Amino acid sequence: MKFSVPKNILFLIFGFLILDTINQSQVLVFSSLAEIIQEMNNHTLTTHFGIEPTATRLAFMNSAMTSVEEVGGIFAILCLFPLADTKGRKFVAVYVRIAITLLVGSCQFLAAVFQASEVFLLGQMILGSHYSIRHFTSIMYILECTPDNCRGFAGTFLVFAYVLAKLFMFTAASPSLLGTTSSWFIFPLVTMISSVAVLFFLLRFPESPKWLVQQNRIQEAKNSIKIYHGRNCEIEQVVTSMIKEKNLTDEEKLTLRQIWENETLRQAFKILMALLIFNVFDTTMVLSVYTILLHKEAGFTVQMTMNITLILTFITVPTKFFGTFMLDGLGRRPTLLIAGVMEYMKSSLLLTTQTIIYFVGSSLLTQILYVISEFLNAIVPATGVHTIRILFVTELFPPSARTAVAQALMFGGMILSTPITTLFPIIDSIFPPIYYFPFVIVQLIFGVYLYRHLPETRGKSVYEIIESMDNEVGSRAPTISTEKTPLLRDRATTHAIRRASILNTPRTRALTIHQSLLSMKL
């Protein structure tokens, strides 16, 4: 499928690409300047608190600097993320996000100047609030501004931010350049100045037209569509589609319970949760956090590990260009199939590698197998598979349901991913192969489920997608038990009609009319 991306959408994506790179650079400060942070912790314990910096106390400080990010993440999910519904997508994605960036930069700058770990710790907590805004609100803003035929490209292109930030930080943070106690303050200074420049660049872009339609500001929505879609687009047709999308429900905001009680939205929510579990039970996080330990177990030295990581980063850059076109060019289902097969191969290879290491020991074979796993780990995100989750939040649910669904996904991701990373050191010290066994089983089960039930939404409007799902759910044959038990069947039908009534689609309207006629006959 051929598709074109409007010029202003490309500019909008470019602005958020730079902002994503800035934020990712702030995240990588802790890992790329690990020795500098260690020196700062020593200075803080000794000078500020008069405490001897033992190994246990230093480990506790490092653990605190990573765990406090969860506090910021919870705050953002509960307090900042809902502002996108009341204040607007742009308000949160641009203004709130850049304010957070400046606060984090200020904390890191003061920590560098005064060698104060407590200020850096505060910055890490604020930094944690970036996740939900960066990975959901910002992408939602971009997707709602983008034409239907190129949503996949718009949501996937930001994957380059991680590569750019990694290349920048791991190069500039060298001790021979800026990776010293006296000069690392330049990193937060650069991020603050750059974020102000990005703010002025993004000011020219209007609010999301879909959010404006939700607020009944139709004329402003038309002006926004002209800017984002181009003046030659069929504005009335686009606005009509957005109005239909808004009118899918009468409520301005649905709760998670209302979503679950509706059979169509429940089916969409099941698909999203299966996709979440499939993505979380991936070894990407473990390979990223414990990369040096795993490389050493396979038989590599620390220097070889750094060289391999850098080489693979450069080699896999071209794959990300191809990946930005897969979701719109091939479709959601083929992309998930390709990425899913690679993820399953990666988990199986790691299980095989760790089994060989445990029973035989490291060798050239284990090194080869591990490098292949690392290569797969680098190219899987390039397919855009991780973007499908936020894409489906905006494609499978009406606007009134998106906040509740996104919050559930973010909390679910935190609950599932935390034990996966925290249990690794314990299991790895006892019997490493068993750690990877659940990954292989879970990915197989949920991968098959997703391939059977994942809808193809490429190039369709949200109204068409939800209407199609609603008709598909309504056309399912009744079970044998309901066919043989008329009373049970009638009750089931009544409940289904009540659950489906929150959706304003032709099927649910027809069911409502049918139920009213039955009532009249009675």
Side-chain angles (χ1 to χ4, degrees), residues 44-57:
T44 298
L45 289 175
T46 304
T47 307
H48 297 184
F49 300 100
I51 299 175
E52 181 183 355
T54 62
T56 303
R57 288 167 180 164

Side-chain angles (χ1 to χ4, degrees), residues 108-337:
Q108 292 184 348
F109 178 78
L110 293 173
V113 172
F114 296 104
Q115 287 291 283
S117 294
E118 58 268 44
V119 182
F120 188 85
L121 185 69
L122 176 62
Q124 289 295 102
M125 184 174 65
I126 300 173
L127 183 63
S129 62
H130 259 143
Y131 180 84
S132 60
I133 299 176
R134 176 181 172 186
H135 292 279
F136 281 89
T137 309
S138 295
I139 296 180
M140 187 184 298
Y141 173 43
I142 294 172
L143 294 177
E144 290 187 353
C145 298
T146 305
D148 295 332
N149 68 328
C150 55
R151 284 194 301 257
F153 172 86
T156 308
F157 199 84
L158 296 179
V159 71
F160 284 99
Y162 179 75
V163 178
L164 295 175
K166 193 172 183 180
L167 291 176
F168 168 69
M169 289 301 298
F170 280 89
T171 301
S174 171
S176 59
L177 293 175
L178 302 177
T180 62
T181 303
S182 60
S183 59
W184 78 274
F185 73 92
I186 295 177
F187 289 109
L189 195 62
V190 169
T191 59
M192 288 190 288
I193 296 173
S194 302
S195 62
V196 173
V198 172
L199 172 62
F200 284 107
F201 178 79
L202 292 176
L203 283 175
R204 61 188 290 263
F205 295 101
E207 181 57 83
S208 157
K210 290 190 177 183
W211 185 81
L212 292 171
V213 168
Q214 284 180 260
Q215 308 303 310
N216 295 318
R217 294 153 63 176
I218 304 302
Q219 187 55 49
E220 291 180 59
K222 289 182 179 180
N223 295 334
S224 179
I225 292 169
K226 287 180 184 178
I227 293 175
Y228 287 124
H229 292 217
R231 295 185 177 274
N232 296 326
C233 72
E234 298 178 0
I235 295 179
E236 295 300 329
Q237 182 178 342
V238 176
V239 171
T240 300
S241 176
M242 291 182 180
I243 292 175
K244 286 182 177 180
E245 180 180 332
K246 175 207 170 190
N247 292 336
L248 280 167
T249 58
D250 296 324
E251 293 86 350
E252 293 184 0
K253 186 176 181 180
L254 295 178
T255 63
L256 197 61
R257 180 176 180 178
Q258 288 175 301
I259 293 168
W260 185 256
E261 287 178 347
N262 178 267
E263 53 187 347
T264 302
L265 297 184
R266 182 170 65 247
Q267 175 64 20
F269 188 73
K270 287 180 180 178
I271 292 172
L272 265 185
M273 291 306 297
L275 190 59
L276 171 67
I277 295 172
F278 183 81
N279 287 335
V280 169
F281 275 86
D282 179 24
T283 51
T284 300
M285 188 176 298
V286 174
L287 287 172
S288 300
V289 176
Y290 301 102
T291 180
I292 293 179
L293 174 62
L294 291 170
H295 275 87
K296 290 176 67 176
E297 289 179 353
F300 295 105
T301 63
V302 175
Q303 186 59 50
M304 291 171 67
T305 301
M306 301 298 290
N307 293 339
I308 291 170
T309 303
L310 193 59
I311 291 171
L312 287 177
T313 302
F314 276 109
I315 290 176
T316 55
V317 167
T319 64
K320 291 174 173 55
F321 286 100
F322 176 73
T324 57
F325 295 93
M326 289 184 65
L327 287 173
D328 290 318
L330 296 179
R332 281 45 163 171
R333 286 171 57 83
T335 300
L336 179 67
L337 176 62

Side-chain angles (χ1 to χ4, degrees), residues 1 22 34-35 54 82 92 96 112 116 161 224 231 285 287 305 316 321 335 395-396 406 443 451 459 484 491 495 499:
M1 173 183 175
I22 294 169
E35 293 184 357
T54 62
V92 178
V96 173
S224 179
R231 295 185 177 274
M285 188 176 298
L287 287 172
T305 301
T316 55
F321 286 100
T335 300
E395 291 180 340
L396 302 184
Q443 283 185 336
Y451 186 74
K484 292 184 177 180
R491 289 177 179 174
H495 288 306
R499 288 196 300 268

